[in-house]
């Protein structure tokens, strides 16, 4: 629409307003304007019209932009609301406890799982100035400690016991972390691992049962072979009573098989960590160096052996023969992993290290192994290596990658090292090789001079009565025969209660008691106390299938006269009895 200018002959204020109201841009009174005024009025009208059109266009554009922006904001708002609803749903329905709190102990957020676990009303905990006051006493201290650690370090990981609303105990893995950009708030997440730990315990129990099954099968296999030898040779000897040489050979075979059975029992005791140890102070590097010739002849010629032995004078307390068995077993295993047909390398290294708790958790050891100073021997080979499955079963009794009937070696090694309060770390990869590090606690105890203990005891004859106590009739009969051969008058008892009764009756004549440790009704320890209470100076020799260190622990300082480990030879038994009477001083 073009701009309008009104020409009028009556120029007054009312006409002006009426003209402007009708849409005129301006007006001119006839006879009162000239050319210049007309030109100026027309130009003003044109400029004003252009300005109005530009303003209208700008308004239209602005309205369009506002509309588009409003639509975008509405979309963004809807998206944010959906995300907030999604996050709210996730947080409140997550199967983990989630909460937010500040360093004044004020709770700002809790999800439904947290409330379900704690059994606390939501409004109550959010309104509380100190949420610690709403927690059970048994978790309040651990919660405060982990909060403090989180605010100090920025993050905290812990495993805590929680009681649910029904009073049942649950185990939670908890992570607490400070909120980014804020120094006074933390977020906590608690994951209930109770069921996971129960399943883990069930799996470990199943693995132990499986391991025991393999152990029982292996023992039965080896013992059946040994018993077959003993039974066959005993039967043949009975048939050939008129052939002394044949009987002698049969008895030698029985003796050899019995010794092998005894050795198998020692291996099983070592596996259980209850082996017979005679610890002494030694330098690990010196002991390894002394075995170099034995090592060289024990492995094929295609394998090179390199020694990297520490010269630091750190000492260990260990049984040298048991430790030599460990080293030779590991060396032979390394050689077998390399084979006899290709060049190979075995490296033997000794050293000293400080093992912290994290390092020990990556080893195979007893749960009681403590962080501290350790000496170690490490045997590394470039053989075939082991995959994860083999590594997981490496120390299982009778597990083997070789032929049946072998495999107690590594489990026995583990038992020996556990008996020395040590640990074993295995690193292996199939096709690459294996490295096994054996850690033994370092000691600062001064080296002791060896004392000669093999002095022969002159042949002598005992006197008086000997009380033999054992719940196994065969053992009781054999010990009685041996005591009779030494000049004693033996009497037998099948358990501790029978022994007390016999001892009370013959206490004046009994000069020595041979006492079994494990018996029904009353065991050897209780029987020992009763007998010594009746006659404090009587000599008591303990007999057990356990090692001396394991069996005599409870008798320390109580006057035990000696110990003989089953199974024993007649010479060993007689030597122990004679040694008991050769001791001077009080029992």
């Amino acid at each position: 629409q073009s701009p309008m200018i009104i020409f009028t002959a009556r120029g007054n204020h009312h006409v002006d307003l009426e003209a402007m109201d009708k849409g005129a841009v301006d007006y001119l009174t006839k006879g009162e304007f000239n050319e210049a005024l007309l030109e100026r009025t027309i130009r003003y009208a044109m400029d004003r019209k252009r300005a109005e059109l530009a303003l209208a266009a700008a308004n239209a554009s602005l309205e369009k932009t506002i509309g588009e922006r409003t639509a975008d904001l509405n979309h963004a708002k809807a998206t944010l609301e959906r995300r907030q609803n999604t996050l709210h749903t996730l947080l409140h329905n997550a199967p983990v406890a989630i909460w937010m709190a500040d360093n004044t102990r004020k709770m700002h957020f809790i999800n439904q799982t947290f409330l379900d676990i704690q059994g606390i009303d939501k409004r109550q905990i959010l309104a509380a100035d100190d949420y610690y006051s709403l927690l059970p006493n048994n978790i309040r201290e651990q919660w405060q400690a982990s909060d403090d650690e989180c605010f100090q370090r920025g993050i905290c990981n812990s495993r805590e016991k929680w009681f649910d609303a029904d009073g049942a105990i649950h185990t939670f893995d908890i992570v607490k972390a400070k909120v980014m950009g804020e120094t006074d708030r933390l977020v906590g997440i608690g994951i209930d691992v109770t069921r996971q730990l129960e399943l883990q315990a069930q799996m470990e129990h199943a693995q132990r049962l499986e391991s025991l099954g393999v152990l029982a099968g292996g023992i039965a296999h080896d013992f059946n072979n040994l018993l077959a030898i003993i039974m066959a040779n005993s039967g043949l000897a009975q048939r050939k009573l008129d052939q002394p040489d044949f009987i002698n050979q049969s008895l030698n075979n029985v003796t050899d098989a019995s010794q092998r059975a005894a050795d198998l029992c020692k291996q099983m005791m070592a596996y259980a960590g209850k082996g017979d140890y005679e610890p002494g102070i030694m330098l690990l590097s010196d002991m390894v160096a002394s075995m170099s010739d034995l090592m060289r002849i024990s492995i094929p010629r295609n394998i090179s052996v390199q020694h990297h032995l520490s010269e630091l004078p750190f000492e260990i307390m260990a049984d040298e023969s048991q430790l030599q068995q460990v080293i030779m077993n590991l060396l032979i295993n390394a050689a077998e992993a390399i084979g006899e047909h290709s060049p190979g390398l075995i490296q033997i290294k000794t050293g000293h290290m400080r093992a912290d708790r994290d390092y020990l958790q990556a080893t195979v050891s007893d749960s009681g192994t403590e962080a501290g100073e350790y000496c170690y021997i490490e045997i590394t080979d470039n053989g075939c290596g082991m995959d994860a499955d083999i590594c997981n079963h490496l120390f299982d009794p009778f597990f083997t990658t070789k032929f049946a009937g072998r495999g107690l070696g590594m489990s026995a090694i583990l038992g020996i090292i556990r008996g020395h309060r040590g640990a074993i770390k295995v690193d292996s990869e199939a096709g690459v090789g294996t490295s096994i590090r054996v850690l033994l606690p370092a000691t600062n105890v001064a080296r002791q001079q060896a004392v000669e203990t093999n002095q022969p005891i002159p042949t002598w004859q005992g006197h008086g009565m000997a009380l033999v106590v054992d719940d196994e009739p065969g053992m009781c009969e054999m010990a009685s025969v041996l005591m009779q051969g030494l000049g004693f008058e033996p009497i037998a008892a099948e358990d501790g209660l029978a022994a007390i009764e016999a001892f009370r009756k013959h206490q004046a004549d009994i000069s020595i008691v041979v006492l079994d440790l494990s018996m029904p009704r009353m065991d050897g320890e209780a029987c020992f106390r009763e007998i010594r209470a009746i006659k404090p100076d009587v000599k008591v020799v303990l007999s057990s299938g356990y090692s001396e260190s394991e069996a005599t622990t409870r008798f320390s300082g109580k006057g035990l006269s000696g110990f003989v480990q089953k199974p024993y030879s007649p010479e060993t038994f007689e030597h122990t009895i004679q040694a008991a009477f050769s001791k001077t001083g009080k029992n």
Side-chain angles (χ1 to χ4, degrees), residues 353-389:
M353 65 177 291
R354 176 167 183 79
D356 58 20
R357 186 167 298 177
D358 290 339
Y359 184 89
L360 291 174
Q361 285 180 346
T363 67
V364 183
S365 62
D366 271 342
S367 57
T369 304
E370 299 179 353
E373 304 295 326
Y374 285 83
C375 294
Y376 67 83
I377 176 168
E378 184 175 88
I379 296 181
T380 303
D381 67 72
N382 61 350
C384 61
M386 298 177 288
D387 59 26
D389 184 60

Side-chain angles (χ1 to χ4, degrees), residues 469-473 493-499 515-527:
V469 189
D470 202 302
D471 63 325
E472 174 56 49
E494 70 274 10
D495 58 40
L497 290 179
L515 181 62
D516 186 23
L517 179 60
S518 301
M519 296 179 293
R521 297 207 299 170
M522 177 184 285
D523 63 13
E525 183 182 8
C527 182

Side-chain angles (χ1 to χ4, degrees), residues 449-454:
Q449 295 295 326
V451 179
E452 181 61 48
T453 59
N454 295 325

